[in-house]
Amino acid sequence: MASGATSRSEDEESLAGQKRSSAPASGTVPKRRSSSRFIKRKKFDDELVESSLAKSSSRAKGAGGAEPARCSGSEPSSGEKKKVSKSVAAPVAPSPVPPHPSLAKRVKKSKQPPPVTKDLGRWKPADDLLLINAVLQTNDLTSVHLGVKFSCRFNLREIQERWYALLYDPVISKLACQAMRQLHPEAIAAIQSKVLFSKAEEQLLTKVGSSSQPTLDTFQELLHKHPDVFYPSRTAKALQLHWQLMKQYYLLDDQTVQPLPKGDQVLNFSDAEDALDDSKLKDVRDEVLEHELTVADRRQKREIRQLEQELHKWQVLVDSITGMSSPDFDSQTLAVLRGRMVRYLMRSREITLGRATKDNQIDVDLALEGPAWKISRKQGIIKLKNNGDFFIANEGRRPIYIDGRPVLGGNKWKLNNNSVVEIASLRFVFLINQDLIALIKAEAAKLAQQ
């Protein structure tokens, strides 16, 4: 039975080979369409084993040359059948399965080193490097806090916490080391040049005399003699600058600090505290108030300047009546135009009467006596002639009444002592300084005789 089954299977395989070989020749059987796309799908364990078996069998056929014999259409011999059956029946060791492309990408990503965290908070990599170098030089966190200038203003507690974190916290120390390794060599050199001087270094520098004039060669020789004491990045120029600073503060061995003077001249702390002005210390600057005061001061100065410029125009002084009998004349007053409220003093040979405005400035502002909205801005002019006579000229639209007589616009009239001048319901009495006018007349007569 077994031999019959095997013979049938061999006959079927030979017929199938003949059909495959004859089909392309005849051209009657259409070609089977197949897609070249590869659908990525996860394979199970049994499929992986079968695929590996199929690949190994195809490699064996290709090596033995059995496939071309099948394609030729001739039946294989019995010896070849036995070899093929043995080769199929023999177990084949599974070949290593190639990893999935997505799995390979994941493996590559996982093998990449983790990125270094750049943001370490307020502490920058330069600060950490400066802190480490300064502590190794001085062995004193207080000195580091007072002498090192970091990128931020750290207090003593923050510096202590950071130093302990760099020592005992593995995560922070690892991140800090990675960040410091990424610093530029120039930045590292700049940081190392700012490292504080240790006590041993300063002791060697104090031995250089203050009276001597050391050069760079002196400090270079000092570096060669004590390479184990000085920091590796020290230069002769840095040593010279630090020595000059120590000399300035009298820290060298051959320098002595002068004692403080004794007596009342010494100012102790309590005396200095009493001398302070508390009001100046507590005074907070208010910019808005200062601006307002500046504007007010500027406005007042402008008004004062305007009044000073108008003083030379005002030759007639206006005095308010206080009820007390004051003398009407003085040595400079020629005449007085006295009203019910004010007195206008005439101290020049010619004055103008009217209503003062912003654009028009006159000598006698009649608005100070009462309502003057009917008075012209330049109502009239009072003049003193060389012979001692006063005349008033009307320059306005409304008439001026002198002792009840109207003086129309463009006309003039003589003013006598105690003459009544009425301008738009405002009445004034014109008084003449007889003594001063007599002197003026006498001088005029003398000049005429000469």
Side-chain angles (χ1 to χ4, degrees), residues 54-97:
K55 289 180 181 178
S56 61
S57 62
S58 64
R59 290 194 190 99
K61 289 178 182 179
E67 194 65 25
R70 288 183 62 187
C71 293
S72 62
S74 61
E75 293 184 3
S77 61
S78 60
E80 290 176 355
K81 290 178 184 178
K82 291 180 181 179
K83 290 180 181 178
V84 170
S85 61
K86 287 181 181 179
S87 64
V88 173
V92 180
S95 62
V97 181

Side-chain angles (χ1 to χ4, degrees), residues 134-380:
V135 172
L136 293 177
Q137 281 293 106
T138 60
N139 297 325
D140 186 7
L141 291 176
T142 305
S143 302
V144 173
H145 172 248
L146 296 175
V148 178
K149 185 177 181 181
F150 295 99
S151 62
C152 297
R153 292 185 178 179
F154 300 111
N155 53 27
L156 181 59
R157 183 176 179 180
E158 290 176 341
I159 293 175
Q160 291 175 350
E161 291 178 354
R162 185 63 180 180
W163 177 248
Y164 296 149
L166 291 175
L167 286 178
Y168 304 114
D169 194 334
V171 177
I172 294 178
S173 61
K174 182 178 179 181
L175 293 176
C177 291
Q178 291 177 356
M180 285 186 289
R181 291 192 191 98
Q182 293 180 355
L183 288 175
H184 196 270
E186 294 181 358
I188 295 175
I191 292 170
Q192 290 177 350
S193 64
K194 300 178 182 178
V195 175
L196 297 178
F197 279 77
S198 63
K199 293 182 179 179
E201 292 176 339
E202 289 183 347
Q203 287 178 358
L204 291 176
L205 289 177
T206 54
K207 295 179 180 179
V208 181
S210 61
S211 59
S212 61
Q213 299 294 332
T215 60
L216 291 177
D217 297 335
T218 305
F219 295 103
Q220 189 67 35
E221 185 180 357
L222 198 63
L223 282 174
H224 287 305
K225 287 183 179 179
H226 307 278
D228 54 339
V229 177
F230 288 101
Y231 190 72
S233 62
R234 300 290 187 213
T235 60
K237 185 66 176 177
L239 294 182
Q240 185 180 19
L241 293 176
H242 194 73
W243 178 84
Q244 292 175 355
L245 190 63
M246 294 177 67
K247 179 181 177 181
Q248 180 181 354
Y249 288 99
Y250 295 91
L251 297 177
L252 301 180
D253 289 342
D254 57 349
Q255 287 180 328
T256 57
V257 181
Q258 297 180 359
L260 293 174
K262 296 181 180 180
D264 298 335
Q265 298 179 357
V266 180
L267 185 66
N268 55 19
F269 182 77
S270 59
D271 296 337
E273 189 177 8
D274 294 337
L276 293 176
D277 190 359
D278 295 338
S279 61
K280 293 182 180 180
L281 295 177
K282 297 180 182 179
D283 188 12
V284 181
R285 183 179 179 183
D286 190 353
E287 296 182 357
V288 178
L289 180 60
E290 289 181 359
H291 178 69
E292 292 180 357
L293 292 176
T294 305
V295 172
D297 183 62
R298 190 183 298 114
R299 188 183 300 112
Q300 293 175 358
K301 288 181 179 178
R302 189 185 301 114
E303 294 177 357
I304 293 172
R305 193 179 299 111
Q306 185 177 0
L307 291 174
E308 289 177 351
Q309 292 175 358
E310 294 176 357
L311 282 176
H312 67 278
K313 299 180 182 179
W314 286 79
Q315 298 176 358
V316 177
L317 302 180
V318 180
D319 296 335
S320 300
I321 297 177
T322 59
M324 299 175 62
S325 59
S326 59
D328 289 333
F329 305 108
D330 55 11
S331 60
Q332 297 179 357
T333 302
L334 299 173
V336 174
L337 191 65
R338 185 171 65 183
R340 191 167 53 88
M341 298 295 296
V342 293
R343 290 186 308 124
Y344 300 96
L345 305 181
M346 183 177 178
R347 293 187 173 180
S348 63
R349 289 182 174 270
E350 181 179 347
I351 61 173
T352 56
L353 309 175
R355 175 169 48 88
T357 59
K358 293 182 179 179
D359 301 332
N360 184 30
Q361 298 294 334
I362 57 175
D363 298 330
V364 177
D365 187 8
L366 299 177
L368 299 175
E369 175 65 20
W373 56 276
K374 293 183 179 180
I375 298 176
S376 301
R377 286 178 291 181
K378 188 177 181 182
Q379 185 65 47

